[in-house]
Structures are given as C-alpha cells and as structure tokens.
Amino acid sequence: MNPTPPDWPRISSSLVCQDPAAMIDWLCRAFGFVLRLKVEGEDGRIEHSELCYGEGVVMVCGESGPGAPRFGTPLLSPRAAGGNTQSMMVYVDDADAHCAQARAAGARIVAEPALHDYGEAYWADRSYGAIDPEGHLWWITQRIRSAP
C-alpha cells in the first residue's frame, strides 16, 4: 500500500447530522476533538469539516434527504433515519474521566464504564457507551491490558 496523505489515517469516518455546526462544537467540548478544518458555504452550511482525536479524523456533514440526495443516496442523521446508523469507537487514556466530561456536556450514557476482559490470551479494555445529541452511538475505550 502507498502511504496515506500527511495527517490522514488509513480509514476515517463521516457523521451525518441535522445541525453539523452544533455537533462540531459539541464533539470538541464533550469528547475532546480538535477542529482542524471547517468550510462554510451559503447561510453557514457546513460544506466540509475535519475533527481530529490523536491521529484519527472524523468529518461532520449535514443531511441531504431523499429529495436532494448527494452521491446518489440520501445522507441521513440518526434522528432522520429513526435510530443509530453507525457506531464509532475511540481509544482514550482515561475512560472514567472522559465519561464524566461527556456526561457533563449532555451525552446520554448508555453503558457505564466497565471492564471488558477477553482473557489472558487476548486483551482487557475499560469502555463506556454514549449517544451524542444527534443519536450516534460511541464506544469510548481505554486499553487496560494488551494481548501477549
């Protein structure tokens, strides 16, 4: 494989939101993302955005419903789709502290921080689950023990 462009991971994801500007602010405040780029169009519409967490990049964009699909398909937020459309997983240094920060910012905690130990031949993580204001499901994880 060829190297990725500078500052881009091999895989990144995009979150579709009804209010992408508010979601960008929330992700920075609640989860600790850092805004790298926000391109605004007419009427403040977010044309493109890039948020970083460590070496990871998440893009946040607005919906384009069935009447105006982009790329040949409607882009719907979980709110418009009637439920979660994808899950995101982020590794952090301290899952408990991250959970407290997310909760204080209004995240709906759907799984409290807990140890998930897959046995000595595998790994152990401390994780919690949260739903953001747009309805995306996030798994926030801290590695406790790596596989041998």
Side-chain angles (χ1 to χ4, degrees):
M1 285 186 185
N2 292 326
T4 62
D7 299 327
W8 276 92
R10 180 73 52 193
I11 295 174
S12 60
S13 186
S14 181
L15 299 174
V16 179
C17 301
Q18 289 181 340
D19 188 348
M23 189 64 184
I24 289 167
D25 292 342
W26 189 88
L27 286 169
C28 292
R29 185 176 68 255
F31 285 173
F33 279 84
V34 175
L35 178 64
R36 178 165 86 177
L37 176 66
K38 180 168 62 171
V39 179
E40 294 180 278
E42 292 182 28
D43 301 323
R45 177 178 170 78
I46 304 299
E47 299 296 336
H48 180 71
S49 69
E50 299 170 7
L51 286 76
C52 297
Y53 194 92
E55 68 280 353
V57 176
V58 172
M59 296 167 282
V60 176
C61 67
E63 292 182 322
S64 64
R70 294 180 71 193
F71 314 113
T73 187
L75 301 178
L76 302 174
S77 71
R79 287 179 183 166
N84 184 54
T85 56
Q86 68 183 11
S87 296
M88 302 288 288
M89 184 173 152
V90 178
Y91 273 99
V92 300
D93 293 335
D94 185 334
D96 293 284
H98 194 279
C99 182
Q101 178 178 329
R103 187 187 317 270
R108 183 165 51 105
I109 306 304
V110 295
E112 292 293 332
L115 181 66
H116 302 275
D117 191 334
Y118 297 97
E120 291 298 322
Y122 300 101
W123 62 89
D125 288 338
R126 185 161 179 80
S127 303
Y128 77 94
I131 305 285
D132 69 32
E134 289 272 352
H136 302 99
L137 175 61
W138 294 81
W139 289 104
I140 310 298
T141 302
Q142 173 187 351
R143 180 56 47 99
I144 302 297
R145 183 189 70 245
S146 294

